[in-house]
Amino acid sequence: MKTGLIITLSMTTILAFIGTYFFNLTVDNIEQFLAVSVVIFADGFFGVWAGVRREGFQTRKALSVLKTFGFWVVMLACILSIEKGFQGTAWLSETIMAPFLVFQLISILKNASMVGAINNELLTQILDKLDKHKGERDQ
């Protein structure tokens, strides 16, 4: 009886510590978690809307938004844990998450264009401005 109580209290303590750690990590970096969440759900919204127009609603594709959300939130938590634990790794979240967010934003624009939320000319203008930083290539 006492062994079961000790194991239960030990597990409760460990789980409380882990839960508190990730709660504090989330609160300290709420902007990053919100950015990932908003971008994924906006892409999912327009993606499902475009899918409904093309081929009808598919539960599998709608649930993939939640799978993507779960993966990237866990990935962000891992990256932030590494940054917090090891000095000199503050560049990790920018290096890994920024390209993901840019690709998701482009996907949002494409999906919004497919459903008619923005017209194709505006999409073309936006995408052309994204490539402006490249400049003219020397031959």
Side-chain angles (χ1 to χ4, degrees):
M1 182 68 178
K2 289 183 180 182
T3 305
L5 181 64
I6 291 172
I7 291 173
T8 303
L9 290 175
S10 299
M11 290 302 295
T12 304
T13 303
I14 290 168
L15 291 175
F17 169 75
I18 292 170
T20 303
Y21 174 80
F22 283 107
F23 175 77
N24 289 334
L25 186 71
T26 304
V27 169
D28 291 343
N29 298 287
I30 192 69
E31 294 84 8
Q32 291 184 34
F33 282 100
L34 283 175
V36 168
S37 302
V38 168
V39 167
I40 288 172
F41 285 119
D43 185 38
F45 173 76
F46 285 113
V48 169
W49 188 4
V52 167
R53 285 190 155 191
R54 274 193 319 269
E55 55 208 23
F57 181 78
Q58 293 185 1
T59 306
R60 173 181 52 86
K61 289 188 178 182
L63 289 176
S64 73
V65 174
L66 295 177
K67 184 174 75 172
T68 302
F69 171 73
F71 173 78
W72 283 104
V73 165
V74 169
M75 180 67 91
L76 180 58
C78 290
I79 292 167
L80 292 172
S81 295
I82 292 168
E83 286 181 356
K84 190 173 184 178
F86 297 97
Q87 206 135 20
T89 58
W91 51 269
L92 271 178
S93 60
E94 290 90 3
T95 304
I96 295 172
M97 297 306 291
F100 161 72
L101 292 172
V102 170
F103 287 127
Q104 286 294 113
L105 288 171
I106 292 169
S107 178
I108 291 170
L109 291 171
K110 183 192 81 151
N111 289 332
S113 172
M114 291 172 70
V115 297
I118 60 173
N119 61 24
N120 285 333
E121 293 81 29
L122 179 60
L123 177 63
T124 305
Q125 252 183 347
I126 292 170
L127 294 177
D128 285 345
K129 288 184 182 190
L130 284 175
D131 284 339
K132 245 185 189 169
H133 72 279
K134 294 178 184 175
E136 295 297 319
R137 215 168 52 153
D138 294 331
Q139 297 293 333

